[in-house]
Amino acid sequence: MAKLVFGMNQSLDGYVDHLEMQTGPVLFRHWIEHVRGLAASVYGRRMYETMRYWDEDRPEWRAEHREFAAAWRRQPKWVVSRSLKSVGPNATLVGDDVEAVIRGLKARLVGEIAVSGPDLARSLTDLGLVDEYRLYFHPVVLGRGKPFFAGPRPPLRLVSTDSVGEGTARLTYVPA
């Protein structure tokens, strides 16, 4: 049975904004290995549209960008959206019965399934489907933006802390 994990980069004050936080080489390597090791990913519409950047090679990319793109493209993806009509390669659109689809993925896959997007994570948490939260704190304070948690959560229990490069700390929590 797979484990559903919600993890994202965020500021010290809890906001997620990839344009405001720099990912250094050590942390970028961490994300390459993380994506490479996933069984699958589940995206909300906005996060999926952001990640579609990796679907096409760009001439300005360095070798590690190409490596991340290759790992991302290989990974099976499910995209939860009522507004999208189609999704890109290696992706499946989920418009209805999200709970049944995610429960099915968890039952048939082995390993980790990443959930990406705070609003989707909130919905899946409300359904009791998120098994772990990974908060990657960057040493910046934004004071505004989209919060990592899109709503109140039941109590969580800290299970690990790690330094993952360039001043970034990862805190891992499970539902208490």
Side-chain angles (χ1 to χ4, degrees):
M1 182 169 195
K3 174 170 58 170
L4 193 66
V5 178
F6 174 49
M8 291 184 74
N9 292 315
Q10 65 182 293
S11 63
L12 290 175
D13 53 346
Y15 295 108
V16 296
D17 186 338
H18 71 283
L19 297 175
E20 295 288 340
M21 290 175 274
Q22 297 298 316
T23 300
V26 174
L27 184 57
F28 197 79
R29 171 60 46 197
H30 168 82
W31 286 115
I32 292 169
E33 298 306 323
H34 171 73
V35 169
R36 188 177 280 145
L38 290 171
S41 283
V42 179
Y43 287 94
R45 179 192 56 81
R46 284 184 297 273
M47 185 58 66
Y48 177 70
E49 289 175 335
T50 297
M51 293 301 290
R52 291 288 313 265
Y53 170 82
W54 299 104
D55 271 342
E56 294 183 25
D57 287 329
R58 302 189 187 276
E60 70 273 12
W61 282 357
R62 296 185 310 269
E64 60 270 15
H65 293 119
R66 294 182 197 292
E67 191 177 356
F68 181 87
W72 190 79
R73 290 173 194 161
R74 278 193 301 270
Q75 177 188 90
K77 297 170 261 312
W78 280 261
V79 181
V80 177
S81 174
R82 285 182 174 51
S83 61
L84 289 176
K85 301 299 179 217
S86 65
V87 290
N90 211 14
T92 302
L93 185 59
V94 179
D96 295 316
D97 211 1
V98 174
E99 180 177 7
V101 170
I102 302 306
R103 286 191 189 282
L105 289 174
K106 286 180 72 169
R108 81 172 186 270
L109 297 177
V110 174
E112 287 186 4
I113 302 169
V115 58
S116 295
D119 294 326
L120 176 60
R122 182 200 69 232
S123 298
L124 297 178
T125 295
D126 291 346
L127 295 169
L129 294 172
V130 177
D131 300 298
E132 190 171 287
Y133 301 87
R134 293 185 189 150
L135 292 73
Y136 290 80
F137 285 103
H138 286 247
V140 297
V141 175
L142 299 178
R144 61 174 164 57
K146 182 84 169 166
F148 178 86
F149 289 109
R153 294 291 123 237
L156 300 174
R157 181 174 53 87
L158 180 66
V159 293
S160 70
T161 61
D162 307 275
S163 175
V164 288
E166 291 89 33
T168 301
R170 176 179 60 191
L171 306 179
T172 304
Y173 291 89
V174 296

